[in-house]
Amino acid sequence: MATDVIMPALGVAQEKGTLLNWLKAEGQSVTKGEPLMEVETDKATVEIEAPASGILTNVTASVGDEVPVGNRIAVILAPGEVATPAAVQDPHPRPLPKGEGISQSRPLSQRKETGEGLPLPQGEGAREGRHATSTPTPPAEPAASTAPDGGRLLASPAAKRIAREKGIDLATLHGSGPEGSIIAEDVLRAAAGETSPHVEPSGAKVVVPLSPMRRIVGQRMTQSKQTAPHFYVSMDIDMTAVSRLRAEWKDRGENSVPSINDFILHTCARALKDFPSLNSTYTEQGIMMHADINIGTAVALEEGLVVPVIRNADRLSLVELVGQSRELIDKAQKKKLFPLDYEGGTFTVSNLGMFGADSFIAIINPPQCAILAVGRVAPRVVAEGDAIAIRSLMTATLSADHRVVDGAVAARFLQEVKRLLERPDL
C-alpha cells in the first residue's frame, strides 16, 4: 500500500516548512525509521524519518521549496507495488502529529563521518534560478571548521556555503560577527578582493527574500505592538557584587563560570515567584496565571531571533541553570532546537550588553505579558553619601502589558530583581 510523505508540523504555530535536503533519491529503496529528508522551520533544522519501507517515488518538492504543512511531497510504494493513479493523486492535507517522525537516532555528525547523504548548509538551498531536481544534493567539500590555532572556527551556514563556492579558506578570514564568528559579509568582502564584483546599475533596488525565521519574527512582533499596550520601567542595578563573584569563580578555576546573563535569568526566576501577574497571559476570558516559570532567553542568529526556554527555572540552582542555558544556546546557534526547546515560555530576558548597548527597550514576546531588556555592565561614577565612587552598573528596562499589570507592580518587580542582584545569595 502506498504511503504519503508529507510536510510535518514541528511546532504549534508552524504553517510551512522548507525542504533543505533529500537524503534519498527518487527510485531508491527506503526503510521505515531511517533519515529521509531535512526540513527547516523558523526555529530549527530537523531530520525527518521515512514513515514506511519501500521505494521513494513521485517526489514533487525540490530542495529549497517552501511547502505548507500537511501537503504531500512524495510517495513510498511498498516492495513490488506499481504506482497507480489512485496512489499518486493529491490527498487531503494530513499534518503529522507534532514531533512524530523526527529522527534522533542518527545525528548529523554521524552521517558526516560516513559521508552518507550530507545535507545542504542550514538556510541554504533556495532555488536561486536552478531547475528543480529530485536527486539529492551531492556532498561538497566542507569549509574549514578549525581555526589556525587548532580551536573551533565559528562561521554561519551562509558563510560556509559561499566560501565553498568561491574557494575561500575560512581559516584565513577574521570574523565580524558575535564572538568573532565569520558571517556571509566577511566572505563576500574577501571574494571582492579577488574578483571584480558585479556593479548594480545606479539606483537599482535589491529585494532580499525573507527567511522563515525573519518572517515569523516580523509577524509576532507586529502582533505584539498592535495588540498589547506596552509601558516601560527602567532601573540602574549595581552589579559590583556579581562581578566580584564571577572573578572569584574564575580564580578558583571553576569549569563553568556563570555569565552575567545567567545571574539575571536566575534572579528573574526567583523574583517571579512573588510577582505571578508578570508570569501570565492576557486572554479574552481573563488573565491566565501560569503555574510554571519558564524563562526564555533571546538568542540572536544571522537569520533572525530565537528564544529557547529554560523550564521550571525557579526550581533550578544557578549551576543547573547555567548547564541548561548553555546547552540551549548551543542548539539554537546550530539551529538544532526541537519544539519543546522554544515553546511554552512565560517570561523573556533579552540581553544586548555583549554588543556594547547601554540600554534599550524590547517588544513583548506574545503571548507573554513582560520582557526584561538589559544592557552592558560598565563602570560609572556614583554618589555614596558625601563622596563619589566607581561602581559596575547595568540598566534594566522592563516592558509590560498594561492590560495585565500596572506600573507600580512592574516597578516593585524590578526593585526585587535589583535587590537580588546587588546582594546575590547563592
Side-chain angles (χ1 to χ4, degrees):
M1 178 179 178
T3 301
D4 293 329
V5 178
I6 65 174
M7 177 59 67
L10 303 174
V12 174
Q14 182 190 345
E15 296 180 354
K16 298 179 180 180
T18 300
L19 178 64
L20 280 189
N21 196 24
W22 282 109
L23 305 178
K24 292 288 185 176
E26 187 167 6
Q28 283 189 324
S29 62
V30 298
T31 303
K32 182 178 180 179
E34 74 172 323
L36 177 64
M37 60 183 175
E38 286 186 327
V39 171
E40 180 187 49
T41 70
D42 58 293
K43 305 289 186 183
T45 298
V46 182
E47 198 174 78
I48 305 299
E49 298 175 350
S53 299
I55 306 299
L56 183 66
T57 64
N58 198 41
V59 174
T60 59
S62 302
V63 169
D65 283 355
E66 190 176 56
V67 183
V69 166
N71 278 22
R72 192 192 65 204
I73 54 179
V75 173
I76 296 177
L77 297 178
E81 185 178 11
V82 178
T84 63
V88 299
Q89 68 181 357
D90 287 338
H92 295 292
R94 295 191 302 275
L96 195 66
K98 185 173 65 178
E100 183 175 311
I102 300 174
S103 173
Q104 300 183 32
S105 59
R106 292 294 303 277
L108 203 55
S109 58
Q110 292 181 11
R111 290 192 290 104
K112 286 182 178 178
E113 292 173 1
T114 61
E116 174 192 348
L118 282 173
L120 289 175
Q122 298 165 2
E124 306 302 330
R127 296 187 207 181
E128 300 175 357
R130 303 187 190 99
H131 293 292
T133 175
S134 60
T135 57
T137 304
E141 289 297 322
S145 59
T146 305
D149 60 2
R152 181 185 171 211
L153 189 149
L154 299 176
S156 72
K160 292 179 181 179
R161 193 259 303 174
I162 297 172
R164 277 199 305 272
E165 293 177 350
K166 297 186 178 295
I168 296 174
D169 184 358
L170 290 176
T172 63
L173 304 183
H174 295 286
S176 62
E179 299 182 7
S181 61
I182 298 171
I183 59 177
E185 287 78 0
D186 298 326
V187 183
L188 291 173
R189 281 195 294 269
E194 300 170 8
T195 60
S196 299
H198 173 69
V199 179
E200 293 288 342
S202 177
K205 296 180 180 179
V206 178
V207 177
V208 179
L210 293 173
S211 67
M213 184 178 293
R214 174 53 56 195
R215 182 181 294 110
I216 198 69
V217 168
Q219 291 171 350
R220 290 174 63 82
M221 294 302 98
T222 300
Q223 170 197 349
S224 179
K225 290 294 285 186
Q226 290 179 341
T227 59
H230 288 50
F231 72 93
Y232 314 98
V233 179
S234 296
M235 202 169 289
D236 288 335
I237 300 174
D238 189 342
M239 299 292 286
T240 303
V242 169
S243 298
R244 186 183 303 117
L245 270 177
R246 297 187 67 245
E248 291 174 358
W249 284 36
K250 290 179 182 178
D251 291 342
R252 291 198 302 266
E254 298 285 350
N255 293 328
S256 182
V257 178
S259 67
I260 294 292
N261 202 57
D262 292 329
F263 277 94
I264 296 167
L265 292 170
H266 188 247
T267 297
C268 286
R270 295 167 62 191
L272 283 170
K273 290 193 292 186
D274 296 326
F275 294 87
S277 61
L278 286 164
N279 192 61
S280 62
T281 295
Y282 175 86
T283 72
E284 292 299 328
Q285 292 72 38
I287 297 173
M288 181 185 299
M289 312 293 285
H290 300 295
D292 297 329
I293 296 176
N294 302 328
I295 302 287
T297 177
V299 178
L301 305 176
E302 188 173 356
E303 301 89 345
L305 187 70
V306 66
V307 184
V309 174
I310 301 172
R311 299 184 179 278
N312 300 308
D314 58 312
R315 305 176 195 173
L316 302 177
S317 67
L318 179 59
V319 173
E320 291 171 333
L321 185 143
V322 169
Q324 290 197 24
S325 173
R326 293 188 178 178
E327 179 182 357
L328 286 169
I329 291 173
D330 183 63
K331 290 173 70 175
Q333 291 172 339
K334 294 177 180 177
K335 293 204 71 181
K336 293 300 179 184
L337 292 172
F338 286 97
L340 190 64
D341 295 326
Y342 55 78
E343 292 179 350
T346 59
F347 185 90
T348 297
V349 172
S350 182
N351 189 342
L352 292 181
M354 67 285 293
F355 298 106
D358 290 316
S359 65
F360 69 104
I361 57 176
I363 301 174
I364 298 170
N365 184 20
Q368 299 168 23
C369 74
I371 181 171
L372 185 68
V374 295
R376 65 175 181 146
V377 176
R380 300 185 206 170
V381 177
V382 298
E384 287 190 354
D386 295 332
I388 61 172
I390 297 178
R391 311 290 288 180
S392 296
L393 297 185
M394 175 188 76
T395 300
T397 301
L398 182 73
S399 304
D401 184 344
H402 223 320
R403 297 174 300 177
V404 179
V405 295
D406 296 323
V409 174
R412 287 199 297 269
F413 169 78
L414 212 47
Q415 281 182 325
E416 179 64 7
V417 170
K418 175 182 172 72
R419 185 187 71 80
L420 292 172
L421 285 173
E422 292 185 343
R423 298 175 179 82
D425 179 15
L426 306 179

